[in-house]
Amino acid sequence: MPNSLNNLFEKNREWAAKVKEEDPAFFSTLSKQQNPEYLWIGCADSRVPANQIVDLLPGEVFVHRNIANVVVHTDLNCLSVIQYAVDVLKVKHIMVVGHYNCGGIKAAMGSEDHGMIDNWLGHIKDVYRLNKSEVDAIEDEHSRFDRMCELNVMEQVSNVCQSSIVKNAWRNNQELHVHGWCYSLENGHIKDLEVTVSNAEQSLNRLNTCKI
Ligand code: CO
């Protein structure tokens, strides 16, 4: 059977050869261990690739991506990634990275039927409901979506902080910072939403003062 994906294998071999030429020990070193300092929780959107955006090499960032970068308290997939990253890899930073113009956010704010995915997007509808007065007060539709992308990131930062994994890490005095970022597809820049949480006290304060 002809392999219609031959071009990808060709690209792969070219890439591997180029990397090895620049650093002959690259693959042999990396195959023995990974030591990332960061866990990136981002959107599955093909335009938001974690390593490329922050210019990190393989081995430098542990990654979990799903539609609209949602952290659900009962999502074993996401929780397992967080646990491995925090308990085993001992990452120092978790960044929840949303992006403006996110299709998942737009879909969640409409009333159209998208099938099964609407159950996933329900988590974002909750964020909208909790912030309805602020979001609805924004007249420009584009700005309204952008603000929802930010509010969704903030909510997911709270969810990361509320996970038993992160709470235990802080209880054990492990260094761990949880950040909220939003990426612009238009200029490639990341905006820090300045909601970083670095210990249990800050997390509690945030819960008490935050609308969401
Ligand atoms: Co998206």
Side-chain angles (χ1 to χ4, degrees):
M1 199 173 75
N3 188 343
S4 59
L5 297 179
N6 271 340
N7 60 327
L8 295 185
F9 284 88
E10 278 165 27
K11 275 171 167 291
N12 165 251
R13 297 301 189 269
E14 280 168 23
W15 169 78
K18 201 174 90 189
V19 170
K20 204 173 172 181
E21 194 185 301
E22 282 167 18
D23 179 1
F26 184 84
F27 291 111
S28 54
T29 309
L30 208 56
S31 63
K32 290 184 196 106
Q33 60 154 23
Q34 61 167 336
N35 190 21
E37 275 200 21
Y38 316 101
L39 165 61
W40 172 291
I41 300 175
C43 184
D45 192 304
S46 63
R47 298 165 294 179
V48 196
N51 285 69
Q52 250 169 305
I53 287 171
V54 280
D55 199 18
L56 288 177
L57 290 168
E60 293 187 317
V61 57
F62 203 60
V63 176
H64 178 78
R65 290 168 66 185
N66 60 39
I67 290 178
N69 40 274
V70 178
V71 177
V72 182
H73 298 301
T74 51
D75 178 0
L76 287 180
N77 183 352
C78 184
L79 292 176
S80 302
V81 170
I82 295 175
Q83 184 181 10
Y84 190 76
V86 172
D87 289 352
V88 181
L89 297 173
K90 308 275 186 209
V91 298
K92 291 192 173 64
H93 302 272
I94 300 175
M95 47 279 269
V96 177
V97 188
H99 67 101
Y100 299 111
N101 223 352
C102 180
I105 302 284
K106 280 188 178 169
M109 288 180 76
S111 51
E112 237 174 275
D113 180 0
H114 306 92
M116 200 288 290
I117 198 177
D118 282 336
N119 299 294
W120 182 254
L121 299 177
H123 298 291
I124 301 162
K125 285 186 186 290
D126 290 343
V127 179
Y128 178 43
R129 183 168 41 80
L130 290 164
N131 296 278
K132 206 169 184 320
S133 52
E134 180 192 334
V135 176
D136 285 353
I138 304 169
E139 279 182 30
D140 177 56
E141 192 185 34
H142 194 74
S143 312
R144 203 158 57 233
F145 285 138
D146 282 355
R147 184 58 183 155
M148 260 302 291
C149 292
E150 294 179 348
L151 289 167
N152 180 50
V153 168
M154 294 179 202
E155 172 74 356
Q156 308 316 325
V157 165
S158 289
N159 288 347
V160 172
C161 296
Q162 288 310 304
S163 69
S164 55
I165 306 146
V166 170
K167 285 205 280 195
N168 282 336
W170 282 330
R171 201 171 293 135
N172 296 328
N173 293 320
Q174 188 175 330
E175 183 187 353
L176 184 62
H177 311 278
V178 184
H179 311 267
W181 293 358
C182 216
Y183 172 77
S184 165
L185 297 170
E186 282 165 23
N187 63 15
H189 291 186
I190 293 169
K191 178 180 172 186
D192 185 352
L193 300 180
E194 295 176 5
V195 291
T196 300
V197 184
S198 303
N199 56 51
E201 196 188 341
Q202 286 175 3
S203 172
L204 203 62
N205 286 343
R206 202 178 131 62
L207 268 190
N208 291 338
T209 55
C210 197
K211 284 173 294 170
I212 54 176

